[in-house]
Amino acid sequence: MTKSAFRLENSWRPVDGDPTGAFDFSLHNLSDEPLSGFSLAYTSLTRVSTKSTFENAVFVHRNANYHEFRAPDGLTLSPGESWRFSVNGLTRPAQHRTDGAKSAYLILDGDRYVDIAVDDLMLAGSTAERPQPLLPEGEAKEPWFILPWPAALSLEPAEMPPVALYPVAGTEIAAVKSVDTVIALFSRLFESGHVPFSLAPVQGGKALAFEADDSLGKEAYAITFGETVTIRAATATGRQYALTVLAQMLSAARSKGSAFRFPASGTIEDQPRYGWRGTHLDVSRQFYETTDVLRLLDILAWHRMNIFHWHLTDDEAWRLEIKAYPSLTEIGATRAPGTQMPPQLGNGAKPVRGFYTQDDVLAVVARGASLGIEIIPEVDIPGHSTAALAALPELADGQEAPESYHSVQGFPNNALNPAIEETYAFLGKVFDEMVALFPARYIHIGGDEVANNTWLASPLAKALMEKEDIEGTFGLQSYFMKRIQKMLAERGKTLAGWDEVSHGGGVERDGTLLMAWQKPEVGIALAKDGYDVVMTPGQAYYLDMVQDEAFQEPGASWAGTVPPKHSYHYEAEGEFPEELKPKMRGVQSCIWSEHFLSRGYFNHLVFPRISAVAEAGWTPKARKDWLRFAALAPASPKL
């Protein structure tokens, strides 16, 4: 039997009286042998519920997105035959083709596991409409390729672009190194592209001069075009942004048949709209090799984004090497059939493991530093900790009933217990190693999606609540977060988290940075409560959301439909009162990876919306132009 010997097809259909509908599955035996006495496991974000009923299959078990069914007694599936079964009543209706099974495998006698090929979800009962184009036909009214668009420019085009730009004689070594950095960046992103700079004079080139200007902000720059191109900046970051803009303009102007030009004269005066222009990447649901993370940093730098939020742990896996606790990655970074970490979200019969060594982390931090990007690490606590608890079961209250609560994703008893002192000893050692790896001011500690009945069946938690006069789950969470905040402060770090950190009384406000993801109004409420805020609303900046209502469009839909035009036009300040605007630090896109089973899915969902968020974070509202963006964004590099 081989991987291709079985195929699972699935479809969703509406059911009268039940808006969640039903799944219909067909397992096709394409092997040369009969199949009997087997079970089937599949992973799906559209989960069975306690009210589900099953036809022609015996439900065995569900763990979050993992589902297991047993074939009816006596069923033998001969070569060429199919087994059909149905699941009636789900946790939600399926709305898109990625809402069905993401992976599947057979469980045979002797604990043997055989992969099954899985197709996208089909729609029964109506026609699955094709999605609309993501972008209109663009129109660049000015012949300059710059993305994100600058705050101010007044330029006249040259007849021909220079072959390359090169530093004038006597340029300080720091500026030459900046040129070298952008040469390397361009060469990594565009392997067949003609580099726009040279360190030595070249025939047909143009000289590039650098001037220090302390009157400019730390990320601001100015470029003057004439016989010589002159960059003014106060910092290496501003200088690098200017060089990146020049690289964009010159490479586009030199492309055959391009409508873009390089300036003969004029000026660009530019600075970012917001100081925080970030992108988050969830590496727990799907693992990304270090080379992919490094390329994503390059793409952020090309867009003049300055924050990379690295979501390193979650229920599905713990991805960060912690030398004090090798089991975190030995157990917590592996998903395999028949283990305490069953397959989730696309995993199949073969064990899947992936984590970042501390050397990997140092390479990512170094690349970020060279590009002006700060790496903000996240360990998601106290919830979303299934992987950590699998690796360190001593952190659970042994008297707490199993499955006494479930997360919104269906993981049982998935939160670190605030009443267990060893929890804080464990996290202290984790933070000690993180501090040595990550120089950033912030450590992000998650704090999201703790179920509202978490810990209430734990005798240890009940005793702590009585001792400290704590009320309910969120009172316990606040107690936990305040201790974590103090631990971070003792290590010279500041707490960042998702907006639920504010629940139950929250933490000390001064300096704390919270990310408003649930809906835009949350950001204003957090700012009023004294927190610094980064706007990351799922309704505009979650890059895993579907981009069209059509069933054939892939992605998640809990936050609605998020076409690129909406991500581009969304104004993060929204209804922020003027006096609260200083609390709004900036914007961030989030790449949650539940639906990213392939490079194709990643590129389809992330681009061009990541470019839209980059321009929303940099460009003044009055300078944004949707049709210009639509003309430029398709040329952005992809993963």
Side-chain angles (χ1 to χ4, degrees):
M1 295 181 181
T2 65
K3 182 177 180 181
S4 60
F6 302 93
R7 179 170 295 278
L8 183 69
E9 296 181 328
N10 59 147
S11 62
W12 181 86
R13 57 181 163 84
V15 174
D16 289 342
D18 185 351
T20 68
F23 276 150
D24 294 319
F25 292 95
S26 296
L27 174 67
H28 301 274
N29 182 1
L30 304 176
S31 75
D32 298 325
E33 303 174 15
L35 181 66
S36 62
F38 65 93
S39 296
L40 180 149
Y42 70 84
T43 67
S44 174
L45 286 161
T46 306
R47 299 176 280 268
V48 304
S49 73
T50 56
K51 298 180 180 180
S52 297
T53 60
F54 313 101
E55 298 177 10
N56 203 31
V58 179
F59 177 65
V60 178
H61 176 61
R62 175 172 82 87
N63 182 314
N65 310 294
Y66 171 87
H67 300 74
E68 186 177 326
F69 290 86
R70 189 173 67 249
D73 293 341
L75 175 69
T76 296
L77 202 59
S78 299
E81 291 187 339
S82 302
W83 167 44
R84 293 174 172 82
F85 68 98
S86 298
V87 177
N88 298 284
L90 301 162
T91 51
R92 60 182 176 88
Q95 296 177 286
H96 297 274
R97 63 184 173 95
T98 46
D99 285 339
K102 293 186 176 297
S103 60
Y105 60 89
L106 294 173
I107 306 171
L108 307 177
D109 56 0
D111 293 330
R112 291 189 297 129
Y113 308 101
V114 177
D115 270 315
I116 301 171
V118 178
D119 295 323
D120 275 346
L121 185 68
M122 295 293 182
L123 178 63
S126 62
T127 302
E129 299 292 338
R130 290 186 298 175
Q132 298 297 311
L134 297 178
L135 293 173
E137 184 176 348
E139 180 184 5
K141 297 176 182 177
E142 298 180 76
W144 325 115
F145 191 107
I146 309 173
L147 183 65
W149 196 254
L153 77 171
S154 177
L155 303 170
E156 293 295 329
E159 287 297 319
M160 291 290 292
V163 171
L165 304 173
Y166 58 86
V168 298
T171 297
E172 293 184 355
I173 185 64
V176 175
K177 287 183 176 180
S178 291
V179 175
D180 184 68
T181 294
V182 179
I183 290 174
L185 172 65
F186 181 89
S187 299
R188 291 191 300 265
L189 290 175
F190 305 97
E191 293 180 349
S192 63
H194 187 296
V195 292
F197 300 106
S198 170
L199 299 184
V202 294
Q203 185 70 32
K206 180 169 278 196
L208 182 61
F210 298 87
E211 296 179 1
D213 187 342
D214 293 336
S215 69
L216 297 177
K218 66 178 183 178
E219 294 187 296
Y221 66 89
I223 308 174
T224 302
F225 296 88
E227 289 300 315
T228 298
V229 177
T230 302
I231 290 174
R232 291 186 291 114
T235 67
T237 299
R239 181 171 63 223
Q240 185 166 292
Y241 287 163
L243 289 166
T244 303
V245 166
L246 289 173
Q248 290 181 346
M249 297 177 78
L250 183 50
S251 60
R254 288 191 315 205
S255 297
K256 185 177 181 180
S258 173
F260 296 103
R261 310 284 287 277
F262 193 79
S265 61
T267 60
I268 298 175
E269 295 181 341
D270 199 13
Q271 62 182 2
R273 183 178 184 184
Y274 299 120
W276 187 290
R277 305 176 309 283
T279 287
H280 149 291
L281 179 66
D282 160 27
V283 299
S284 182
R285 277 56 178 259
Q286 309 296 339
F287 181 69
Y288 299 82
E289 297 291 342
T290 303
T291 52
D292 291 332
V293 177
L294 294 173
R295 181 167 177 86
L296 182 58
L297 291 182
D298 287 345
I299 292 168
L300 300 187
W302 190 245
H303 288 86
R304 306 198 295 285
M305 300 178 89
N306 63 352
I307 298 291
F308 176 60
H309 173 177
W310 204 1
H311 185 86
L312 289 160
T313 75
D314 213 298
D315 289 307
E316 286 79 3
W318 182 288
R319 302 296 191 189
L320 174 63
E321 179 189 26
I322 299 295
K323 293 183 177 179
Y325 296 97
S327 63
L328 286 171
T329 45
E330 290 172 357
I331 295 173
T334 303
R335 306 214 72 95
T339 72
Q340 58 187 317
M341 295 279 284
Q344 299 283 353
L345 300 176
N347 307 146
K350 296 178 181 178
V352 176
R353 187 184 189 206
F355 68 93
Y356 303 98
T357 68
Q358 295 197 0
D359 285 342
D360 293 331
V361 170
L362 292 173
V364 170
V365 171
R367 174 69 63 83
S370 74
L371 298 173
I373 298 171
E374 194 169 26
I375 312 298
I376 309 296
E378 178 185 353
V379 289
D380 200 348
I381 54 175
H384 288 283
S385 293
T386 296
L389 289 166
L392 301 169
E394 63 270 22
L395 297 182
D397 182 351
Q399 304 174 79
E400 185 177 19
E403 304 206 27
S404 59
Y405 64 89
H406 291 81
S407 73
V408 66
Q409 291 84 10
F411 286 96
N413 293 25
N414 74 329
L416 297 175
N417 195 318
I420 297 176
E421 280 302 310
E422 183 59 29
T423 296
Y424 304 100
F426 157 65
L427 291 172
K429 292 178 182 178
V430 170
F431 294 150
D432 286 341
E433 295 193 30
M434 292 179 71
V435 166
L437 294 170
F438 297 98
R441 170 187 174 185
Y442 294 102
I443 288 181
H444 197 293
I445 48 71
D448 61 314
E449 294 187 323
V450 173
N452 62 12
N453 61 336
T454 299
W455 306 306
L456 298 186
S458 162
L460 291 175
K462 289 180 179 179
L464 176 64
M465 293 167 71
E466 184 175 348
K467 177 184 176 182
E468 300 290 340
D469 193 24
I470 295 171
E471 183 176 347
T473 291
F474 299 117
L476 280 169
Q477 177 175 307
S478 177
Y479 169 89
F480 174 84
M481 288 296 178
K482 286 174 180 175
R483 288 191 63 172
I484 297 303
Q485 185 177 46
K486 182 179 179 182
M487 291 169 64
L488 292 176
E490 290 169 350
R491 291 161 173 82
K493 298 295 184 181
T494 301
L495 184 148
W498 301 108
D499 55 56
E500 296 100 317
V501 169
S502 64
H503 289 179
V507 296
E508 294 298 323
R509 276 60 167 169
D510 187 27
T512 298
L513 181 70
L514 299 187
M515 296 181 175
W517 68 274
Q518 296 187 73
K519 54 184 178 180
E521 296 84 354
V522 170
I524 299 173
L526 291 172
K528 286 181 179 178
D529 199 15
Y531 294 103
D532 288 342
V533 179
V534 169
M535 296 298 288
T536 68
Q539 296 80 2
Y541 291 163
Y542 270 33
L543 305 188
D544 59 319
M545 290 296 119
V546 292
Q547 299 173 87
D548 190 276
E549 293 181 0
F551 188 86
Q552 291 187 26
E553 177 67 18
S557 55
W558 66 262
T561 303
V562 185
K565 186 175 184 179
H566 180 59
S567 296
Y568 184 79
H569 284 298
Y570 173 73
E571 280 296 306
E573 289 182 7
E575 302 299 321
F576 266 77
E578 197 64 34
E579 67 273 15
L580 291 180
K581 287 184 179 179
K583 286 290 192 182
M584 211 287 272
R585 297 276 304 281
V587 300
Q588 180 171 293
S589 62
C590 290
I591 303 172
W592 296 101
S593 295
E594 286 93 335
H595 292 283
F596 294 164
L597 303 188
S598 68
R599 187 67 54 93
Y601 274 140
F602 185 98
N603 284 335
H604 176 80
L605 284 160
V606 170
F607 303 95
R609 289 186 295 185
I610 196 171
S611 304
V613 179
E615 187 145 304
W618 184 284
T619 307
K621 180 180 179 181
R623 300 289 290 161
K624 291 164 69 175
D625 184 315
W626 168 240
L627 291 180
R628 180 193 64 225
F629 173 82
L632 273 53
S636 293
K638 295 179 173 60
L639 197 65

